[in-house]
Amino acid sequence: ALAYHFAELSSNAGPIRPGIVHRIDKNTSGLLAVAKTEMAHENLADQFRERKVFKSYLALVHGGVERNSGRIEQPLARDPRNRTRMAIVRGGRGAISLYKVRRRFERFTLLDVEIKTGRTHQIRVHLASLKHPVVGDEVYGGGRDNTVRDPKLRSEIRNLGRQFLHAAELGFHHPISGEQLRFQAPLPADLQHLLDVLAS
């Protein structure tokens, strides 16, 4: 789609991912940074490497998160028992997630999660480690979706067809001017619908 709409995109990520500076998990919605030129791509990639990029997600998790805010600092690596998953592994790559409670529901909590690192599946693994997996996460959810008592709500979660994780805010310095930029993406309709169901 990007290649169709833009005559010029950076080739730094290779022909399959033109312009793509960073990734978000499959079945996660939200913001991505895309570079038109190689220079812009290299500059943005440096900002990501140097942890100068602000990345904040919205996550709906199972259970009532006890603290209003917290820090999760646990190393991540491939799960030695299942190479398709990530896990908290001693000696893995450092990963830091900061969370704040945005809204509380009965048996669910909506969190703002700022990530200081960008490890694969970081938010999902970190929150699952607190026993508060992301709603709709079939990989790290531990079957919690199936334990929802209300059959209508259980059906709504099943119909979602993905984890409730949304890259809501992205901030970085403009590669040329150096201006601090901050972007926001509203919740897509499917996630907003689930929140409306919970609120009612």
Side-chain angles (χ1 to χ4, degrees):
L2 288 166
Y4 176 83
H5 284 288
F6 296 99
E8 181 184 22
L9 286 171
S10 163
S11 60
N12 284 21
I16 295 174
R17 296 195 296 138
I20 301 298
V21 178
H22 67 116
R23 292 179 284 182
I24 55 178
D25 290 354
K26 181 181 177 182
N27 293 328
T28 295
S29 54
L31 293 161
L32 278 176
V34 178
K36 285 184 167 183
T37 67
E38 273 71 20
M39 185 279 291
H41 194 129
E42 289 169 14
N43 182 287
L44 288 168
D46 286 344
Q47 290 185 56
F48 274 93
R49 268 192 299 273
E50 294 164 12
R51 301 183 185 178
K52 293 179 178 176
V53 176
F54 177 83
K55 295 169 284 182
S56 183
Y57 289 69
L58 271 174
L60 182 69
V61 300
H62 284 278
V65 176
E66 187 176 346
R67 297 169 60 192
N68 286 328
S69 63
R71 175 187 178 101
I72 309 166
E73 189 167 356
Q74 295 285 359
L76 300 178
R78 290 279 169 197
D79 188 333
R81 293 167 298 198
N82 182 347
R83 303 295 292 172
T84 64
R85 293 167 46 110
M86 302 299 286
I88 293 173
V89 177
R90 193 173 172 182
R93 299 180 74 191
I96 301 169
S97 304
L98 310 176
Y99 69 84
K100 288 181 184 175
V101 171
R102 177 179 281 209
R103 189 172 180 185
R104 295 182 183 277
F105 301 93
E106 187 180 350
R107 299 190 180 91
F108 299 91
T109 309
L110 183 64
L111 299 174
D112 289 302
V113 185
E114 180 188 347
I115 55 173
K116 296 295 189 181
T117 51
R119 310 299 180 214
T120 302
H121 300 176
Q122 174 175 325
I123 293 174
R124 295 159 65 195
V125 176
H126 273 176
L127 293 175
S129 76
L130 296 183
K131 306 292 188 266
H132 295 293
V134 175
V135 168
D137 190 342
E138 294 184 354
V139 178
Y140 302 105
R144 285 286 287 277
D145 294 339
N146 297 324
T147 67
V148 175
R149 295 175 188 172
D150 184 327
K152 180 177 184 265
L153 182 54
R154 193 166 58 244
S155 176
E156 292 283 358
I157 292 171
R158 193 174 293 124
N159 290 339
L160 192 62
R162 68 178 181 103
Q163 63 265 8
F164 194 119
L165 190 59
H166 177 69
E169 291 191 59
L170 187 63
F172 51 84
H173 293 279
H174 190 284
I176 296 172
S177 70
E179 178 189 0
Q180 177 69 52
L181 304 174
R182 182 72 67 94
F183 300 93
Q184 295 180 325
L187 271 179
D190 58 343
L191 302 187
Q192 185 60 56
H193 172 72
L194 185 56
L195 289 186
D196 293 341
V197 170
L198 285 175
S200 65

